[in-house]
């Protein structure tokens, strides 16, 4: 079946470095993508989203890039901080609806001081 | 107030018990969700309520019974669960079909 996956299950970076978390999706019909952050013992927290009619969107210290040609999504975190340590999930859905979000496998980001 | 509140935070139950998980939001959201998350896995959708009506049931076994008493509350009734049902159960809400999903911190369920 269609699924969302991640290339790297773990990523370790130094504080102050930039982080890039990647996600491959296989459903070419997906038109809305979201990145979530989940800290230990907490629920997922929305970071940033992007619709399929865009290829880049920026937030505060975060940028999401969408490459529909190769069905690839990435999350860039600038000047990574220890508080960024968490599991990051990409999620996709159809029709711009939240109702059936499909989450990817997740990447554990560890920021070393 | 941008919180989704879930109770209890932890629940241990036997296979013959009946228990309920509760979720509350006061953001005026009209869509509410139940997700199940096993350790080191992504959340998996179980149910979606839209305007207090069950909109999506992802083929969840009948030992899980959702209920939406009003637009602010969402319950998940549990009966005759199996040890493999042990997981973190996450509630979420959103404005409607679109917009950010706000998640609660989850109820960690252990079935003995």
């Amino acid at each position: 079946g269609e699924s969302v996956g991640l290339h790297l299950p773990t990523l370790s970076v130094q504080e102050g470095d930039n982080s890039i978390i990647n996600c491959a999706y296989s459903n070419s019909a997906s038109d809305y993508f979201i990145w979530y952050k989940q800290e230990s013992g907490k629920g997922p927290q929305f970071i940033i989203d992007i619709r399929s009619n865009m290829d880049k969107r920026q937030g505060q210290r975060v940028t999401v890039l969408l490459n529909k040609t190769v069905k690839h999504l990435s999350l860039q975190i600038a000047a990574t901080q220890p508080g960024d340590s968490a599991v990051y999930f990409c999620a996709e859905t159809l029709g711009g609806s939240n109702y059936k979000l499909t989450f990817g496998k997740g990447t554990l980001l560890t920021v070393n001081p | 107030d941008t919180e989704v509140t879930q109770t209890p935070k932890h629940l241990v139950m036997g296979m013959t018990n009946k228990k309920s998980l509760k979720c509350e939001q006061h953001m005026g959201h009209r869509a509410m969700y139940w997700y199940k998350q096993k350790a080191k896995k992504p959340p998996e959708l179980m149910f979606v309520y839209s305007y207090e009506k069950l909109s999506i049931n992802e083929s969840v076994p009948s030992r899980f019974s959702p209920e939406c008493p009003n637009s602010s509350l969402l319950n998940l009734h549990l009966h005759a669960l199996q040890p493999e049902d042990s997981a973190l159960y996450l509630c979420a809400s959103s404005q409607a079909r679109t917009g950010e999903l706000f998640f609660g911190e989850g109820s960690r369920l252990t079935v003995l």
Side-chain angles (χ1 to χ4, degrees), chain A:
Chain A
E2 304 275 59
S3 65
V4 178
L6 292 170
H7 295 305
L8 294 172
T10 62
L11 177 65
S12 183
V13 301
Q14 291 299 120
E15 181 177 359
D17 288 352
N18 297 332
S19 302
I20 300 176
I21 300 172
N22 296 303
C23 177
Y25 66 94
S26 57
N27 188 347
S28 57
S30 293
D31 58 5
Y32 180 51
F33 304 88
I34 309 171
W35 280 100
Y36 283 92
K37 171 187 180 183
Q38 187 172 23
E39 296 175 88
S40 180
K42 296 189 176 182
Q45 178 185 5
F46 175 97
I47 301 173
I48 192 167
D49 59 0
I50 189 167
R51 300 197 180 274
S52 59
N53 61 353
M54 304 172 69
D55 53 21
K56 181 179 180 178
R57 190 154 189 237
Q58 288 185 290
Q60 188 175 10
R61 280 200 310 118
V62 294
T63 300
V64 55
L65 299 178
L66 175 62
N67 185 331
K68 293 183 289 293
T69 302
V70 295
K71 295 198 281 285
H72 184 267
L73 194 68
S74 69
L75 177 70
Q76 300 178 358
I77 305 174
T80 315
Q81 303 168 0
D84 295 326
S85 294
V87 176
Y88 289 80
F89 293 101
C90 64
E92 62 175 335
T93 188
L94 290 170
S97 168
N98 274 318
Y99 282 5
K100 295 194 78 169
L101 278 180
T102 300
F103 283 79
K105 295 179 182 177
T107 293
L108 173 61
L109 174 66
T110 302
V111 181
N112 302 307

